[in-house]
Amino acid sequence: MSITRRQILQMVGTGLVATQVPMASASGIFSKSTLKPPRLKAADTVGIINPAGATFHHDDVAIAKETLAALGLKMKAGEHLLDRYGYLAGTDANRAADVNAMYADPSVDAIITLRGGWGCNRILDLLDYKSIAKHPKILMGYSDITSLLLALNAKTSLVTFHGPVGTSTWNEYSSDFVKRLLFNAEIFSMENPTDVGDNLTQTKDRILTIQGGQATGKLLGGNLSVLTAMVGSEYLPDFKGNILFLEEVGEDIYRVDRMLTQLKLAGILAEISGFVFGKCRNCDSGEGYGSLTLEEVLDDHIRPLGIPAWFGSMIGHIENKFTIPLGVNAEINADKGSIALLESAVI
């Protein structure tokens, strides 16, 4: 991409250099200046794609369309949305084609995935990152979509969003974060709910502080197993001085231990400024003797880092979830369990 001196001066005058326009870089496709997508507006069209696991229920598409309509949005289905190739939502080439087509399509304003599953790592080398950078749009999903969120950020510096997919539970709690972040471009703080219900004290959604304190940096992360499977590739962003957030589902504790060990040996944990572990749903220690607890594993790997860190944030395979913008500067408070955005995530 060639940019003239006159164009640079024009961008400086309009305040676009730091937030919108990617610059050529010898170290990668583009420089590390933040690329923010346009915010959502009423009547915008959202592209729905399925870049990972296949859906076996056609009603999933209807649910996604009705959800978007309730938000005042229109839906455009990817050409291969209902494809199936074994456990994948179509061939690698076709799933990648839907991603590329949605970014190139001027009628599509944002992109949300239908579901997660497995398969996004298989298409990372088939994506047109130059086209994506020229047409920045919101991309939101979680679980296996982690690899797309991280790869697009690493290759184009685009802010991406770890949040609900089309088949998620779009209740008031989760939808509120989507609206504040993607529609209103708000700068706000996210903290776990503190309702005690009929109890004398809070028993649900508590946080566990691993190491107190505050830290700042860009928010980067997602699903632990997906992120770990990307280690050593060119599709991970730079974690140095940034905040790593993780979530997981259905993993034995020894596997969580193994994956955190890999992040440690790869040097990633030593680089980060802060750490947030969301929910690890259905991550059981097992019966009898012989297993560490998740708390013990986090103590082993994270406490020695001496950085602000906590466990239990509303991130992951849960109904009530935060929407976390990847690539946005934030400040975390490990004593309060808060994630405070320091800038808007969209323009």
Side-chain angles (χ1 to χ4, degrees), residues 55-340:
T55 181
F56 301 97
H57 307 286
H58 287 204
D59 199 40
D60 287 345
V61 179
I63 291 172
K65 184 175 182 178
E66 291 167 16
T67 297
L68 293 175
L71 292 169
L73 302 168
K74 296 177 287 187
M75 188 189 92
K76 182 169 185 175
E79 181 180 353
H80 303 286
L81 184 62
L82 293 174
D83 284 8
R84 181 184 170 195
Y85 174 61
Y87 45 74
L88 299 168
T91 65
D92 293 346
N94 286 341
R95 286 181 287 113
D98 272 4
V99 178
N100 291 332
M102 287 297 183
Y103 271 102
D105 188 341
S107 72
V108 172
D109 302 292
I111 304 163
I112 295 177
T113 59
L114 185 64
R115 54 160 299 182
W118 158 251
C120 288
N121 276 2
R122 295 174 53 130
I123 68 172
L124 296 183
D125 60 342
L126 301 176
L127 300 183
D128 188 345
Y129 295 101
K130 290 184 178 180
S131 175
I132 291 169
K134 290 179 181 178
H135 310 100
K137 299 174 185 180
I138 290 167
L139 173 67
M140 186 167 70
Y142 75 105
S143 193
D144 192 66
I145 310 305
T146 291
S147 57
L148 289 186
L149 304 180
L150 289 168
L152 266 61
N153 182 263
K155 287 292 190 179
T156 72
S157 297
L158 178 66
V159 173
T160 54
F161 299 88
H162 186 278
V165 295
T167 55
S168 290
T169 300
W170 289 74
N171 56 22
E172 183 178 358
Y173 186 92
S174 298
S175 297
D176 184 60
F177 288 106
V178 172
K179 293 173 184 176
R180 296 179 67 184
L181 197 66
L182 303 187
F183 285 79
N184 302 339
E186 291 184 34
I187 301 171
F188 60 97
S189 181
M190 291 174 272
E191 296 183 38
N192 282 24
T194 56
D195 296 338
V196 300
D198 293 332
N199 298 304
L200 296 179
T201 189
Q202 183 178 357
T203 59
K204 294 182 178 180
D205 299 324
R206 294 175 65 94
I207 68 157
L208 174 65
T209 300
I210 301 169
Q211 179 75 40
Q214 300 177 7
T216 59
K218 291 184 178 181
L219 295 166
L220 296 170
N223 182 264
L224 173 60
S225 56
V226 174
L227 188 155
T228 305
M230 300 171 69
V231 170
S233 76
E234 62 186 88
Y235 301 106
L236 281 181
D238 186 1
F239 289 94
K240 187 174 183 180
N242 292 319
I243 298 164
L244 174 64
F245 72 91
L246 297 172
E247 57 87 12
E248 194 48 88
V249 62
E251 295 285 2
D252 293 330
I253 298 303
Y254 82 91
R255 292 174 60 86
V256 175
D257 185 9
R258 184 168 66 193
M259 290 183 283
L260 288 173
T261 299
Q262 185 175 355
L263 296 185
K264 175 184 176 181
L265 296 178
I268 290 175
L269 295 185
E271 293 182 331
I272 59 177
S273 62
F275 178 85
V276 181
F277 203 106
K279 303 291 187 179
C280 199
R281 189 166 65 82
N282 297 333
C283 299
D284 298 323
S285 300
E287 297 180 359
Y289 298 100
S291 176
L292 297 168
T293 66
L294 180 58
E295 182 178 344
E296 289 170 331
V297 168
L298 292 174
D299 273 350
D300 285 347
H301 290 289
I302 305 303
R303 190 181 296 277
L305 301 176
I307 59 175
W310 83 91
F311 164 61
S313 189
M314 305 300 291
I315 306 170
H317 291 67
I318 51 178
E319 290 189 354
N320 296 332
K321 60 167 63 71
F322 298 150
T323 295
I324 305 293
L326 280 75
V328 166
N329 285 297
E331 179 180 79
I332 64 168
N333 186 318
D335 299 292
K336 295 170 54 181
S338 64
I339 303 172

